[in-house]
Amino acid sequence: MGQVYQIPMFQPSNLSPDLSGKLQKLQEICAIESPSNHANAIQAVCETVENWLMPFQPVIQHFDHPGYGRNVVFTFPAQQAHVTGGIFLLCHVDTVHPVGTLQKNPIRIVGEKFYGPGSYDMKASVVQAWWAIELLLAKQSSLAYPIHLMLNCDEEIDSPTSQALIETYGKNADLTLCLEPATPDGAIKTQRKGVGTYVLRVQGRAAHAGNEHTTGVNAIAEMAQQILRVQNFTRYEQGTTVSAGLIQGGTAVNTVPEFCTMEVDVRIEDEEERKRLEREFHALQVVDARASLTVEGGVSRPPMPRTPAIAQAYEKMKQIAAQTGFALREASVGGGSDAAYVAQLGKPVLCGMGPGGNGAHTLQEYTDIPSFLERTALLANALLHWYD
Ligand SMILES: [Zn+2]
């Protein structure tokens, strides 16, 4: 507080006159159903956004990945001082919703809620990024630092084609803003858990359930004992949760099942716990020596600890939010995101800078329209004033 800014801050109310036009654009990209791995649809979303941004003459880089689609980086070059550093904005354009979800959660506005698959996670954020850049360049046509905007095509499947690119830009930037949606109550995310999946497979021996019960080796019965063991790997005090989530086994009720497969969700807050789980899962032994057990998988998204760089960036963003007219809060959440890759490098990153809403990954997904305005004003102000 107390800082005097040469260029006045945007207020959400300044943005209202353009709101309906921007919601139309949101409708346009939500209407393109773009689940991960649907390369053509993902590419279509990227091209639409590219057309929106074209008037600002960014440098555009395409990174095509057959089967995944395209990662795109738009750079709004610095005209004056430093050309390295700058601010890195991170969005993804893939969703978890299979094609056809539009029928189940049609695009519509009810009160102050914009409904539609992928609206909250995170197509509203893509419109927000574009709008904030438009506001910024209207005030400041010649930038003193570059701004990079990345559209990631595969965030929802753990970013196999985009991780390295995110790390490259995150490493160079002075600040990374991951525009994942805010929490339903509007907080940004300064700490996230690491996430992963372990897959356990038991092989037993099939047999007639009645006539040859003694020679059969029941894979489901064996797995049942493993479930109790892995659930006990949970350590709430350390922030570690282990949850048997999916299980499959057996072929017929009157056959001793030969196979059973289980997928286990794990969440951790630090590297030590990742190592402990790795040890514990791989030390699992079968109870019935005639069965065999294999273990695969592990933590695929690292945790995002609240590093000093993140705490400092949060304090600054909180001040900018106060000048934008609202109180910014922070939260620690259980889900992983691309922001973790940048946090691991010790660089400042704030996640959840996108609009609020609710129902991510469900048929009730919506974006909160007042929050969309508020967050766009905040982002425009951050882009404009971060170096003040
Ligand atoms: Zn997301």
Side-chain angles (χ1 to χ4, degrees):
M1 302 300 281
Q3 179 156 5
V4 179
Y5 295 96
Q6 284 186 332
I7 303 175
M9 290 272 177
F10 292 106
Q11 301 299 312
S13 58
N14 302 144
L15 278 56
S16 303
D18 286 338
L19 178 61
S20 69
K22 291 300 192 281
L23 291 178
Q24 255 167 38
K25 301 294 187 184
L26 176 54
Q27 173 169 2
E28 206 178 307
I29 51 172
C30 284
I32 307 169
E33 296 190 277
S34 56
S36 312
N37 294 114
H38 284 233
N40 291 342
I42 284 168
Q43 205 142 320
V45 176
C46 291
E47 279 163 14
T48 305
V49 178
E50 202 166 308
N51 285 329
W52 299 344
L53 287 164
M54 210 64 103
F56 308 120
Q57 299 177 301
V59 176
I60 303 173
Q61 289 172 275
H62 291 160
F63 303 88
D64 288 344
H65 297 280
Y68 293 92
R70 166 180 288 175
N71 296 310
V72 190
V73 178
F74 301 90
T75 296
F76 301 87
Q79 307 292 347
Q80 306 160 6
H82 51 296
V83 288
T84 57
I87 300 174
F88 177 38
L89 305 178
L90 188 49
C91 290
H92 66 82
V93 294
D94 62 326
T95 77
V96 297
H97 302 290
V99 171
T101 308
L102 258 183
Q103 258 94 57
K104 297 174 190 152
N105 182 17
I107 297 170
R108 64 206 187 278
I109 293 174
V110 180
E112 295 188 313
K113 297 172 179 172
F114 181 105
Y115 284 88
S119 54
Y120 172 56
D121 185 14
M122 58 184 287
K123 289 178 175 173
S125 309
V126 175
V127 180
Q128 173 201 15
W130 162 51
W131 196 358
I133 287 167
E134 182 184 73
L135 290 163
L136 166 75
L137 295 176
K139 285 252 166 145
Q140 191 77 281
S141 59
S142 163
L143 294 179
Y145 41 88
I147 289 172
H148 307 282
L149 166 64
M150 176 168 168
L151 303 180
N152 171 1
C153 68
D154 58 8
E155 193 273 346
E156 296 290 4
I157 50 171
D158 287 349
S159 304
T161 73
S162 51
Q163 181 184 345
L165 201 57
I166 293 164
E167 287 169 348
T168 300
Y169 279 90
K171 195 173 179 175
N172 284 326
D174 296 320
L175 172 69
T176 296
L177 298 177
C178 182
L179 303 186
E180 282 287 346
T183 64
D185 59 357
I188 63 170
K189 299 152 189 177
T190 51
Q191 189 173 13
R192 280 181 173 276
K193 287 189 179 183
V195 185
T197 305
Y198 280 94
V199 181
L200 274 63
R201 289 191 179 86
V202 171
Q203 178 166 8
R205 188 183 305 134
H208 190 290
N211 301 339
E212 301 164 67
H213 193 274
T214 50
T215 59
V217 177
N218 192 316
I220 292 177
E222 174 64 38
M223 189 67 90
Q225 316 215 40
Q226 304 299 333
I227 294 172
L228 300 178
R229 289 180 175 172
V230 303
Q231 288 290 126
N232 278 328
F233 296 163
T234 296
R235 297 277 181 278
Y236 292 124
E237 328 78 66
Q238 261 95 47
T240 303
T241 56
V242 178
S243 175
L246 280 174
I247 190 158
Q248 202 173 21
T251 50
V253 67
N254 57 3
T255 302
V256 173
E258 184 174 9
F259 296 106
C260 186
T261 302
M262 173 167 70
E263 292 181 49
V264 183
D265 179 279
V266 301
R267 314 262 159 167
I268 47 144
E269 278 178 11
D270 61 53
E271 181 59 16
E272 282 309 305
E273 281 293 281
R274 187 192 67 76
K275 286 186 194 151
R276 178 181 67 86
L277 288 184
E278 195 63 11
R279 276 197 310 273
E280 303 239 49
F281 271 95
H282 286 285
L284 287 169
Q285 298 284 337
V286 286
V287 176
D288 183 334
R290 298 171 303 163
S292 65
L293 170 70
T294 61
V295 176
E296 282 171 26
V299 170
S300 52
R301 276 196 185 282
M304 181 176 103
R306 192 180 186 278
T307 60
I310 288 176
Q312 209 179 353
Y314 169 64
E315 284 309 316
K316 189 157 185 171
M317 192 59 77
K318 210 159 83 169
Q319 285 177 24
I320 295 175
Q323 306 262 348
T324 310
F326 69 99
L328 190 66
R329 285 168 302 106
E330 64 180 326
S332 165
V333 295
S337 93
D338 283 338
Y341 298 130
V342 181
Q344 292 280 312
L345 303 169
K347 301 290 291 187
V349 54
L350 296 175
C351 192
M353 286 291 294
N358 212 337
H361 299 199
T362 75
L363 295 176
Q364 286 76 45
E365 177 170 2
Y366 70 85
T367 293
D368 180 64
I369 296 172
S371 173
F372 176 53
L373 282 174
E374 202 170 79
R375 292 300 170 125
T376 304
L378 174 65
L379 182 59
N381 286 332
L383 295 179
L384 197 53
H385 295 289
W386 193 257
Y387 293 92
D388 285 3

